[in-house]
Amino acid sequence: MGQGQSGESKHVTTEQLSHELALKFAKRCFTPLELYSFQDVFKSLAEHQDHIAYVKEDTIARFLEIPDIIGVSSVVFQMASYLGAFPFGQDAPVVLGFEQMIMVVVIMTERYQRVLKKGHRDRTKLLFRSLAVFDRKEHQKESEDDSGDKASVTEAEAPRSHAQGFAVDAATNDEDEEDDDDLALAALESLDAIEVFRHGDAPIAQASIPSDNLKKLIMLLLLIAPLNSQESLARHAERLSGENLEGLRRTADNILAAFVNVEKFPGVKIHQFNTVIPISFPFLFNGFNPLFEHFLFSKNIDFTKRKDGSKAPPVIDPQVDQPLLPQTGEILDLNVLSQLSFFIPGETLFRRLRLLYSGGDAGFSLGSFETRVFNWRAPTILLVSGNRISDPPTGGQERAFTDTLHPKRFPDSSKSEHVVFGVYVAQPWRQTHKECFGDSDTLLFQLEPVHEVFHASTINTDYVSFTKPPSSHSGISFGCPHPKAKQTAGLSAHVNLGAVSLMLDSSFEFGVFTHNYTMGGGAFHNSQTRRNDFQDRFEIESLEVWGCGGDAEAEQQRQRWAWEEREAEALTSRRTYLQEGTIFTKKLS
């Protein structure tokens, strides 16, 4: 029976297979109510020409409330026009009819996983293809190399592409990338039509995402990162004006820098895309899920009407009306919060962060840090920003700090003067006396000027140390060997910095981030994109710690603070009582 189906499928057109897959997706990926809503939404949005119903770019942008100011509508439409052709990318771009939009929504909401059990990879490569353009110059060069002379490659002879091409100045090594798309293969296998896959989709190594398009998409992803299901994007319109908009652009630039140096290369290749996303942006595209789920909820359907004609009380999500960030910090704002959600699950961040410590308010000292942070019994996020120290240092304090570091200095990581680093610490903070604390969930990261996440190693466990005087080189460090109890003869006067580490001195005046690629990594893994030695020495401008958790964690901390306050008052009362008793005794004598 299987052989018969396979033999028949050779004579089936790609249009017929696409139709069959769309029906399969609609039946198994949508509930009956969702499918009914989708049909109603599509009907309300569709244009008609020659008996063909389809949706246009501006219609999709208006329905999803994509803001015009960031200019991303054409990028989203390009993605949809490619995904609508799934699994036959060579047919893109396609007119977005009913069946094509089923493909788009199923892929953008990741519901394809309900059907394509063997599509074990995520949609990253498919999204890359939907964003990329085909580099015809590179293809022509390869054709010339293969033929030994200048072969003329006409547009008709070149593989089809879903967008016009552009030239990439320098290509990365993509030899290890396969052209096969796991999701497309799984889709065709589910239809018993695997043999029709290998048809002329442009080789992925010859494709590249224009940097400007990727930046626009990143701005949109930053906006939609906190969206809940059915939540309107218009609710976050305040992030698109004035300083908020400029901050959104700056954050997008920092994220784009993780993929490509825009001063040298005009686009992002598949090798960079596949290398950066799993490490630094595993949740980058999560915002597409609630955004495209809007197609599954029709405003023309009254979901509150009961069978008896009465109306059910509206379901209100208590979280929606709570602010995404109860208060902004000197470093953390809504844009940086969305940036964090690209590698820390959003459910632990949005509406759940509380400012525990800010150096500008509480004072830059280990004591105030300890008082305000150590009672939090849930994960925390430390953020530190500063400006680069000149080389050689100019002020006396700068020179004193640099004297504690090894005289061999690595180059700066970038031309930018301003830097932002951070650490996600899953365990409660404590003072360390002999060994570091933390676990493999600890994350060391840079947010500005280049976004990158350095994951913890399981071999070296020097994750976090918090040491106070008289320990040598006291302060807070991440990825550094624990400082010795005290300075003794024969020990180096220089701080022992880890291969990938961040160290803040005891006065919170200066910090240093080190990436010793040559050493081969320590408590945190080396960068996979910046394979060189660099070091950023900076004067601390802002330092803050945010607690991850809800009301239960906050109440626990409040009770702990109240207990400590009562203990302190009781201790003061006892001391006063003893002092007054001593004075009274002396008077009697």
Side-chain angles (χ1 to χ4, degrees), residues 295-310:
F295 284 100
L296 304 179
F297 297 94
S298 172
K299 295 180 180 179
N300 297 325
I301 300 175
D302 188 355
F303 293 96
T304 65
K305 192 172 182 180
R306 292 171 171 170
K307 292 182 179 180
D308 59 3
S310 63

Side-chain angles (χ1 to χ4, degrees), residues 458-478:
T458 55
I459 300 175
N460 185 324
T461 58
D462 294 331
Y463 300 126
V464 186
S465 69
F466 182 98
T467 55
K468 301 169 74 173
S471 297
S472 63
H473 309 304
S474 57
I476 302 178
S477 64
F478 308 91

